[in-house]
Amino acid sequence: MAPHCRYSCDTAAQTLEWISAINDFLRPYMFLLNDHVVNFFKDRLWESIDKQWMNCLRKESVENLLKIPSGIVQDNWPASLKEFILTSRSLVLPREQVELQMMLPNLHVASLDTVLTQGMNMKKKHEVETLAAVVRSIAESTGSQTIIDVGAGQGYLAQVLSFQYNLSVVAIDASSHHGAVTSARAERIKKHYAAKTKNAHLNVPQTVTCCVMSSDALKAFSDALLQKNDFEPLEMKEIDLGEPYLEGLEVERKKPSLCSNSNMGPSLVLAGLHACGDLSVTMLRTFIECKEIKAVVSIGCCYNLLSEEGSQNSGSQCGFPVSEGAKLSGLSLGKSARDLACQSAERWRSLTKDAALQNFELHAFRAAFQMVLNRYYPEILTTSPSIGRQGKALRRQQQRRVLQNNLHVDKRTSLPLVATWEKCEMERSCTTSNYSEAYQEGDTCSTLDRGGLSLQISSSYSSGCEGIWSLDRYSLFEKFCNSGLCRLGLLTNISQEIDFLGLWKEAQPFCELIGPYWSLRAVLGPVLETLLLLDRLLFLQEQGSSVKAVALPIFNPILSPRNVAIIAQKI
């Protein structure tokens, strides 16, 4: 069983104690935070891990590796390894979905009809249903009349708040395309309900295209909104010096007062469903600085895009650290660590064996490709090259391929193709067989012919499986490299002279270590996310008794890994 969290964050002092405990725990493992799996082979990263740990985990089943980020250990593991995993888990915010009715007595989660949920997948429907009910409850308790949906995307949350809960909503997003989609979708929903209820005066969310680069920009927008007596189509653009320019607002020509000191006028609630990077932190700052904003409900994501104090891309208002307590701790994370904070223990635990093997395979290909760049294009590495996240799309393709393959029958054995291949694998005695199962899941090369891959497997089996696997795996690696070089604009005639096979032979003996190493790194992901969330909570708690703030996991963590909402009200 995984350990329970030993800490509390009910007060600023408790939250700071928790942050300090995380910092003390992380410092000896900074090498795991700063190293990146893409450099696994190039920098021989497995050598930085305790040899006893790696020798233990390389023999472990994939199923047990997937449980490590959740704090689940095996009795026969080294004591130091178990201590590392269990201590890390004890520092993580609880992620089980809370009983929201216990926290918000006036909460009622309405079941949304098919008109409002059109276009939503199961994850989005769950998130929007739950968050909309929470926001409505908070708005009711604070007496707020208007919701600002920050980073609204396609407007799902805004539309549910408007049509289901009859609230006045302004949806703001940096993408004009999202704004157009939101408006068109809202009009379709309005037409449906107007015909059904004979009511032509339905609340429709207003859409605003704006680039919120700072809390000043968001405050200026809030101030302009409060000065209007009715909602008209608004547009907000960024101009030089980062000052917001508001179009279509009939306000005084003097510089906006940002947020007035008047106690008159409507009050606002800021809401953000997975507002990206610094935007979630900007919402918290704006809530503190703008008197008319009575509450904020912020669920963050994309921690890798946060600006960090001391980094090259940091400005006057960084996304981390934001609290004075975290700033004094002096811990610097870096992009690799912030990227690691996006790892979800729940998602790891819910992966199937095949999906996990595919993920490890993708990491092995990418790390081996890094060796290609290091040897033949070293100048490229200084730019932190990205070849795109091809794996997600190919996973979906392969899932469809597996379904199709299960319908095919091998003529020689009358067994399904997948079963035939598994039988072949069971007869092999190769010590690295655990990771070879990822082959049928595919690589990350966008140009890979899936039909060709299926034929390769069938042809390989018909001639006997011994010795074939490594050759096919290499061919996938070569295609992965050519695709990556193409994406980087490096695919020229010289690529024909690259010794892909030689580099693959260097990497292949250590491929089986990718899974154990990545699992150990993933242990620290939930700890890092907890640190980022506690920093935001502490920032609010540092404002004193005038602000009440909590961090609540409001979604099912398997459906929605970024499930912790920072909720704050002025009292």
Side-chain angles (χ1 to χ4, degrees):
M1 293 293 292
H4 294 291
C5 181
R6 302 183 305 196
Y7 296 89
S8 175
C9 55
D10 294 335
T11 67
Q14 291 174 334
T15 305
L16 183 57
E17 179 186 8
W18 194 342
I19 289 175
S20 299
I22 291 176
N23 289 347
D24 292 341
F25 172 74
L26 289 178
R27 282 194 172 91
Y29 301 106
M30 291 305 293
F31 67 94
L32 264 180
L33 303 186
N34 296 328
D35 290 337
H36 201 290
V37 181
V38 297
N39 297 316
F40 184 75
F41 299 124
K42 181 176 74 71
D43 296 339
R44 300 179 68 87
L45 295 182
W46 62 90
E47 294 180 350
S48 66
I49 306 297
D50 187 300
K51 289 183 179 179
Q52 192 180 17
W53 293 12
M54 292 301 287
N55 287 335
C56 169
L57 295 180
R58 72 189 300 174
K59 304 170 186 174
E60 199 57 69
S61 69
V62 173
E63 291 84 353
N64 284 343
L65 292 181
L66 295 176
K67 297 174 184 176
I68 290 177
S70 296
I72 299 174
V73 300
Q74 306 304 312
D75 292 338
N76 63 316
W77 290 359
S80 58
L81 174 58
K82 290 191 285 188
E83 181 183 5
F84 166 73
I85 295 171
L86 295 175
T87 301
S88 69
R89 195 60 187 174
S90 71
L91 292 166
V92 173
L93 271 167
R95 306 309 291 265
E96 295 78 14
Q97 186 177 11
V98 297
E99 291 289 340
L100 290 171
Q101 281 78 9
M102 298 287 291
M103 309 300 299
L104 302 168
N106 64 335
L107 181 80
H108 172 68
V109 180
S111 180
L112 304 180
D113 61 31
T114 56
V115 176
L116 284 174
T117 60
Q118 184 179 8
M120 299 186 197
N121 58 24
M122 183 185 299
K123 173 180 179 288
K124 184 63 68 177
K125 179 176 182 292
H126 169 67
E127 292 168 345
V128 171
E129 266 188 353
T130 305
L131 183 57
V134 170
V135 172
R136 187 213 63 83
S137 174
I138 297 296
E140 184 178 276
S141 64
T142 58
S144 301
Q145 295 84 12
T146 302
I147 314 298
I148 301 180
D149 182 5
V150 183
Q154 297 188 48
Y156 293 136
L157 176 64
Q159 289 152 11
V160 171
L161 290 170
S162 290
F163 293 110
Q164 182 71 39
Y165 294 109
N166 200 32
L167 292 167
S168 296
V169 184
V170 179
I172 61 176
D173 195 271
S175 168
S176 58
H177 171 70
H178 283 166
V181 170
T182 298
S183 297
R185 189 174 186 273
E187 285 302 318
R188 290 197 301 270
I189 295 172
K190 178 184 177 182
K191 178 185 262 188
H192 171 86
Y193 284 126
K196 185 176 180 179
T197 63
K198 309 299 183 183
N199 180 8
H201 302 288
L202 295 170
N203 269 337
V204 178
Q206 297 298 307
T207 59
V208 179
T209 299
C210 68
C211 188
V212 178
M213 302 298 292
S214 67
S215 58
D216 282 351
L218 189 52
K219 287 189 297 180
F221 170 76
S222 302
D223 186 65
L225 178 64
L226 289 167
Q227 291 183 45
K228 292 183 67 66
N229 294 323
D230 59 285
F231 294 145
E232 298 174 3
L234 310 177
E235 185 176 1
M236 180 175 180
K237 297 180 179 178
E238 286 289 317
I239 59 173
D240 291 341
L241 305 179
E243 295 185 2
Y245 176 70
L246 307 179
E247 290 186 355
L249 298 180
E250 295 182 3
V251 297
E252 297 181 30
R253 293 183 179 274
K254 64 181 181 180
K255 184 178 179 179
S257 62
L258 299 185
C259 282
S260 67
N261 294 320
S262 171
N263 290 322
M264 302 298 291
S267 57
L268 306 172
V269 172
L270 294 182
L273 175 55
H274 296 147
C276 192
D278 286 351
L279 189 55
S280 293
V281 178
T282 297
M283 291 172 61
L284 304 184
R285 286 195 174 102
T286 307
F287 162 71
I288 294 299
E289 297 169 7
C290 186
K291 187 174 182 179
E292 284 81 1
I293 298 176
K294 303 302 182 184
V296 61
V297 183
S298 172
I299 304 172
C301 73
C302 302
Y303 303 125
N304 54 309
L305 299 180
L306 281 172
S307 61
E308 186 172 356
E309 193 171 77
S311 67
Q312 293 181 345
N313 297 325
S314 63
S316 59
Q317 293 185 330
C318 294
F320 176 81
V322 60
S323 68
E324 292 302 319
K327 289 177 183 177
L328 292 174
S329 72
L331 183 68
S332 177
L333 295 182
K335 186 179 183 302
S336 289
R338 297 194 308 273
D339 188 59
L340 184 58
C342 299
Q343 291 297 313
S344 162
E346 290 76 18
R347 282 283 176 89
W348 270 72
R349 196 169 64 243
S350 65
L351 281 176
T352 64
K353 179 182 177 180
D354 285 344
L357 288 170
Q358 180 201 1
N359 282 333
F360 296 157
E361 179 93 331
L362 295 176
H363 283 301
F365 283 167
R366 180 60 182 89
F369 178 65
Q370 194 81 344
M371 296 173 66
V372 174
L373 296 179
N374 182 61
R375 186 164 301 181
Y376 294 95
Y377 305 98
E379 69 282 356
I380 289 293
L381 294 184
T382 62
T383 65
S384 299
S386 172
I387 61 172
R389 301 183 65 179
Q390 305 170 62
K392 185 177 291 187
L394 291 176
R395 275 194 288 273
R396 289 194 293 266
Q397 292 176 15
Q398 181 57 21
Q399 286 169 354
R400 291 192 292 269
R401 174 65 59 186
V402 169
L403 290 174
Q404 293 170 1
N405 283 348
N406 277 318
L407 299 177
H408 293 299
V409 176
D410 186 282
K411 294 182 179 179
R412 290 181 55 193
T413 63
S414 296
L415 290 175
L417 179 59
V418 173
T420 302
W421 184 251
E422 288 176 351
K423 180 176 182 291
C424 171
E425 282 297 282
M426 290 173 65
E427 293 171 352
R428 298 174 68 242
S429 58
C430 178
T431 56
T432 59
S433 62
N434 275 355
Y435 292 90
S436 63
E437 292 178 42
Y439 176 85
Q440 71 172 20
E441 297 286 326
D443 78 323
T444 61
C445 174
S446 61
T447 61
L448 182 61
D449 183 344
R450 290 293 166 181
L453 175 59
S454 177
L455 291 174
Q456 287 175 22
I457 292 177
S458 179
S459 174
S460 297
Y461 177 73
S462 66
S463 60
C465 64
E466 194 65 41
I468 296 297
W469 187 267
S470 59
L471 291 175
D472 284 336
R473 201 173 184 212
Y474 162 69
S475 70
L476 291 177
F477 167 66
E478 186 176 8
K479 290 179 180 179
F480 179 96
C481 290
N482 284 322
S483 175
L485 291 172
C486 182
R487 284 173 177 261
L488 294 174
L490 300 174
L491 193 59
T492 62
N493 291 333
I494 194 173
S495 68
Q496 304 300 319
E497 303 172 7
I498 296 176
D499 185 13
F500 291 121
L501 181 58
L503 289 171
W504 180 247
K505 286 182 177 179
E506 286 184 38
Q508 191 175 26
F510 306 104
C511 283
E512 64 173 349
L513 302 179
I514 282 271
Y517 179 84
W518 188 215
S519 301
L520 288 174
R521 278 198 88 227
V523 167
L524 301 176
V527 182
L528 291 164
E529 182 178 24
T530 295
L531 174 62
L532 295 172
L533 293 171
L534 290 178
D535 173 46
R536 299 174 186 188
L537 179 63
L538 181 58
F539 167 73
L540 296 169
Q541 291 172 331
E542 287 173 343
Q543 309 307 314
S545 58
S546 63
V547 172
K548 178 183 178 181
V550 294
L552 295 178
I554 67 172
F555 302 142
N556 180 321
I558 295 177
L559 280 176
S560 181
R562 308 277 79 78
N563 74 333
V564 176
I566 303 293
I567 302 175
Q569 300 181 45
K570 290 173 181 169
I571 55 178

